[in-house]
Amino acid sequence: MMDQAIHEYGREKVFQKQTLDRWLKLPEPDREALLELARGLRIGENHFRDFLDWLEEISLRDGASLSQILKGKSIALIWSDSRLGRNDKLKRIKEELRRLRFPRLVRLEGEIQKKIRQMGSGPQIQMTVVPGLEGGALTVQLRATSHEELQRLLAVLRQLSERTEMKEIFDLLAGREQGAELSA
Amino acid sequence: MIFWRGENKVLNYRPDEVIVEIGSEESPILRNLRRALPDVPFTLVEHPKSFLSALQASRDPFGKGKRRLLLMRHKGDFLKKCPGSDGQVCCNYFVINFASNCPMECSYCYLQDYLAQNPALKVFSNVGDLLEEAHKLLSRHRRFFFRIGTGEITDSLALDPYIGISEEIVPFFAEQPNALLELKTKSDCVEGLLRLDPKGRVVVSWSMNPPKVIDDDEHLTASFDERLVAARRCQEAGYRLGFHFDPMIEYPGWEEDYQGMIERIFALVDHQRVAWISMGVLRQTSSLKRIMRQRFPSTRLLSGEQVLCPDGKMRYFQPLRVRMYRKVLRWIREASPTVFVYLCMESKEVWKQVFGFSPSCERELGNQMAHH
């Protein structure tokens, strides 16, 4: 019965056979939990594959089943939040799964974002790092509408560059984190 | 899914059959194979087409391909420039492919993907052509110094007890004034080398990982101790050594394991006769990961915190792997302050974060390695 429902869902969303086979090979509670998730969020194949990859990898690392992970508190809270629409739920659940899959990376990205916010550079000076932190770079973008404004922003940027937070951001990007937070 | 019988020694490998393509009958490799494998059936075929198509149709072509050894002539070039990886610092290395595929079974092996359409374990019989090609290249460019390795799409030594390739190529390279041959292995098959004089022109190098990684993910390879003893024997026989800490794997307790591994290596070998050490973290493409999921579904290598890099390979996220490289470099420096250390397939940014500099060009790095 459930396998038939999975086949139907796969047909409706035009899943490739390989993806369906992976799904159908899972233990029954995991198949069922994924079906509930897929139906509830109307997930297409690309998102579904990301979910499946991450869930399997978390499961391998933590020794929990896919259904246990999906029924965990953090995901269950998003799932049951009636204020969230389908798109927000999908986005939030995906973010939460990414956090579970890459805990140290997400924590480090969060640390860097926090330091950027602490510097309060204002809307005309944007500081960003790429998701995944590859390249080890902080991108700084200035938005000026006059020469005077540009000079003022450069002066602000110069002051920001002296801030402890700025130095700490580059330390974090270069793996020079204080403490043992990056250790396995 | 692959199941292991708990045995980890490369010499336990014996092909079920040797298939010989017509035209290879006079090869010294065939002579060596017949001598070393008297109980294994040899089949002479005009073309291995039917064997290859049956292999491709099997459930695990790459794994099954290792069970039979195909001896055939190589029709293309033997010598190629190492392709490196897009946008990464390259060490200007050349490769000779005397064989394709390998009798070992590392769960992370990139050949599972690279040789997916060509999975047979092949050894090329026309060694004379290989040497002629190498001679032409080296004599045409005497002012250029070549570092050449044989371990790109096979293990340099794992099949040596059967095929005797080192006896064919080491004496040739020992006489070349402008080349250094690197034999890269995870085996302890060095008996053939010990009878030869490398004259300073041959580096034997080992891919090294702590025993836990070898047990978990480097199936059918020699153990850590076996590799180390083999390295010591090669050093005593006049070979320079290389060590590749690649792929470095991150797991709870990796620091103690890698530090211990480095201390044990340098307690046994003379660091002054180590030509180079490379460091590189685990790398996977998404297609390799797909294959690993099928062939080694329980390997924990699938669950590392790896992100997609611009060259299409997944690596541990940069701050994490830079931290790993720095630590390993520190332990190497404590044991050997002067040994040449480089990064394999890493960007200039990572080089700078680890060493404080990056090579200005591939030739610079290659030259430093050749003349260190």
Side-chain angles (χ1 to χ4, degrees):
Chain A
M1 207 48 187
M2 185 175 48
D3 285 2
Q4 199 186 333
I6 290 173
H7 276 293
E8 275 167 20
Y9 188 85
R11 241 192 324 274
E12 184 198 328
K13 295 286 180 188
V14 205
F15 276 22
Q16 286 183 14
K17 186 180 174 305
Q18 280 170 320
T19 311
L20 264 184
D21 286 348
R22 267 180 83 188
W23 190 354
L24 289 163
K25 270 185 200 159
L26 297 171
E28 193 177 322
D30 297 346
R31 265 181 292 166
E32 196 177 354
L34 270 172
L35 181 62
E36 193 187 347
L37 182 81
R39 276 175 166 166
L41 299 177
R42 300 193 297 282
I43 301 174
E45 187 173 17
N46 287 342
H47 278 310
F48 184 86
R49 261 204 311 259
D50 286 347
F51 276 118
L52 191 51
D53 287 351
W54 288 351
L55 282 165
E56 284 187 335
E57 289 161 4
I58 296 165
S59 161
L60 193 61
R61 184 194 61 207
D62 297 348
S65 70
L66 275 60
S67 57
Q68 282 169 334
I69 300 164
L70 286 173
K71 288 183 174 135
K73 197 177 165 192
S74 58
I75 292 179
L77 273 175
I78 304 169
W79 181 250
S80 60
D81 191 337
S82 55
R83 293 166 303 175
L84 298 174
R86 177 257 178 196
N87 288 348
D88 285 337
K89 268 189 190 173
L90 179 61
K91 186 170 170 270
R92 298 267 301 270
I93 290 179
K94 206 164 179 183
E95 278 171 1
E96 180 56 19
L97 269 184
R98 182 177 183 265
R99 190 187 66 78
L100 293 171
R101 174 65 186 84
F102 303 99
R104 288 171 294 171
L105 170 62
V106 171
R107 199 163 57 228
L108 198 55
E109 288 171 340
E111 276 286 302
I112 292 171
Q113 291 304 336
K114 194 171 139 197
K115 289 185 191 303
I116 289 174
R117 279 196 305 274
Q118 278 169 354
M119 285 194 286
S121 59
Q124 288 172 292
I125 302 177
Q126 282 192 353
M127 288 184 257
T128 52
V129 289
V130 292
L133 308 178
E134 189 58 27
L138 174 76
T139 302
V140 182
Q141 208 174 10
L142 301 181
R143 192 170 185 280
T145 51
S146 68
H147 183 237
E148 292 72 26
E149 197 175 16
L150 178 63
Q151 284 185 318
R152 185 183 62 77
L153 291 175
L154 285 171
V156 173
L157 186 59
R158 172 138 199 103
Q159 284 174 347
L160 289 174
S161 73
E162 299 298 331
R163 295 271 296 262
T164 316
E165 290 93 336
M166 188 68 100
K167 288 170 192 158
E168 286 169 349
I169 288 172
F170 284 106
D171 280 348
L172 291 173
L173 286 169
R176 281 192 215 96
E177 196 180 10
Q178 293 303 307
E181 289 129 88
L182 278 186
S183 297
Chain B
M1 193 189 305
I2 315 290
F3 294 99
W4 302 105
R5 287 186 292 256
E7 192 55 63
N8 222 13
K9 238 188 142 192
V10 64
L11 264 182
N12 278 357
Y13 171 78
R14 285 174 81 80
D16 297 338
E17 185 184 6
V18 178
I19 299 168
V20 183
E21 189 187 42
I22 283 180
S24 297
E25 299 93 313
E26 302 303 318
S27 167
I29 303 291
L30 179 58
R31 185 192 63 219
N32 294 338
L33 278 166
R34 283 197 188 281
R35 199 166 44 209
L37 298 166
D39 304 329
V40 171
F42 282 65
T43 310
L44 193 64
V45 297
E46 195 168 338
H47 192 283
K49 218 185 210 161
S50 61
F51 158 66
L52 294 174
S53 45
L55 181 60
Q56 202 63 58
S58 70
R59 260 187 56 195
D60 176 24
F62 187 76
K64 204 171 174 204
K66 296 170 188 283
R67 295 308 320 152
R68 291 199 227 176
L69 197 154
L70 175 58
L71 184 67
M72 62 187 293
R73 292 179 64 80
H74 183 57
K75 289 161 189 99
D77 292 336
F78 278 100
L79 248 162
K80 290 175 185 132
K81 178 98 165 40
C82 173
S85 195
D86 278 354
Q88 311 300 296
V89 176
C90 163
C91 65
N92 208 23
Y93 195 66
F94 286 75
V95 291
I96 288 177
N97 295 324
F98 70 83
S100 173
N101 204 339
C102 154
M104 302 166 176
E105 271 282 22
C106 299
S107 63
Y108 54 75
C109 180
Y110 85 105
L111 296 179
Q112 297 173 94
D113 183 26
Y114 189 73
L115 297 177
Q117 303 306 315
N118 190 13
L121 173 53
K122 296 176 193 164
V123 177
F124 302 119
S125 57
N126 45 332
V127 188
D129 294 342
L130 182 161
L131 296 177
E132 194 182 318
E133 196 183 314
H135 175 70
K136 273 186 191 159
L137 181 78
L138 297 178
S139 55
R140 207 184 308 134
H141 303 281
R142 282 290 180 217
R143 292 172 63 186
F144 186 82
F145 197 88
F146 292 84
R147 285 184 316 111
I148 302 174
T150 59
E152 194 208 13
I153 58 169
T154 190
D155 184 282
S156 294
L157 295 174
L159 291 169
D160 206 43
Y162 303 141
I163 65 175
I165 188 74
S166 58
E167 210 167 323
E168 304 298 325
I169 61 174
V170 168
F172 168 81
F173 279 96
E175 300 301 330
Q176 303 306 313
N178 59 332
L180 199 58
L181 175 70
E182 181 181 23
L183 303 172
K184 224 184 257 189
T185 190
K186 288 191 183 95
S187 81
D188 60 349
C189 302
V190 297
E191 290 298 330
L193 291 178
L194 303 180
R195 296 190 289 266
L196 307 167
D197 180 3
K199 299 183 181 171
R201 295 286 178 204
V202 182
V203 175
V204 192
S205 64
W206 272 266
S207 169
M208 281 298 206
N209 254 315
K212 178 189 159 40
V213 176
I214 294 175
D215 290 346
D216 289 352
D217 287 289
E218 296 183 351
H219 310 291
L220 303 178
T221 63
S223 70
F224 175 78
D225 286 334
E226 287 164 343
R227 292 182 209 184
L228 196 50
V229 168
R232 169 71 181 246
R233 294 177 77 200
C234 282
Q235 187 172 271
E236 286 167 354
Y239 291 89
R240 293 171 74 197
L241 303 181
F243 292 103
H244 299 285
F245 302 152
D246 189 354
M248 280 163 44
I249 310 291
E250 199 251 358
Y251 56 91
W254 76 272
E255 284 109 326
E256 292 82 353
D257 288 357
Y258 277 81
Q259 189 172 11
M261 172 185 84
I262 291 164
E263 285 168 3
R264 281 172 70 188
I265 289 172
F266 286 103
L268 206 69
V269 305
D270 174 4
H271 73 94
Q272 289 180 318
R273 291 199 47 80
V274 175
W276 52 67
I277 291 178
S278 76
M279 301 188 290
V281 292
L282 177 69
R283 302 177 283 283
Q284 294 158 330
T285 57
S286 52
S287 55
L288 173 60
K289 222 170 162 182
R290 214 166 26 243
I291 295 168
M292 286 171 69
R293 252 185 227 117
Q294 287 164 5
R295 300 192 76 232
F296 301 96
S298 58
T299 176
R300 291 173 67 93
L301 302 189
L302 293 167
S303 62
E305 287 195 50
Q306 294 173 294
V307 297
L308 190 62
C309 298
D311 64 351
K313 294 184 174 81
M314 283 177 257
R315 295 174 175 84
Y316 299 128
F317 63 94
Q318 190 166 322
L320 177 60
R321 68 182 197 271
V322 166
R323 203 175 160 102
M324 291 172 71
Y325 288 141
R326 275 210 214 96
K327 283 187 176 181
V328 170
L329 181 64
R330 192 174 76 229
W331 299 325
I332 294 170
R333 286 282 169 253
E334 281 166 8
S336 174
T338 53
V339 68
F340 188 86
V341 185
Y342 69 99
L343 294 175
C344 188
M345 291 192 191
E346 279 294 359
S347 64
K348 287 194 168 193
E349 291 80 20
V350 172
W351 269 81
K352 280 182 196 153
Q353 288 178 335
V354 175
F355 293 105
F357 72 94
S358 70
S360 58
C361 66
E362 60 181 45
R363 189 166 282 195
E364 180 192 323
L365 178 59
N367 282 343
Q368 281 176 5
M369 293 173 70
H371 299 109
H372 189 75

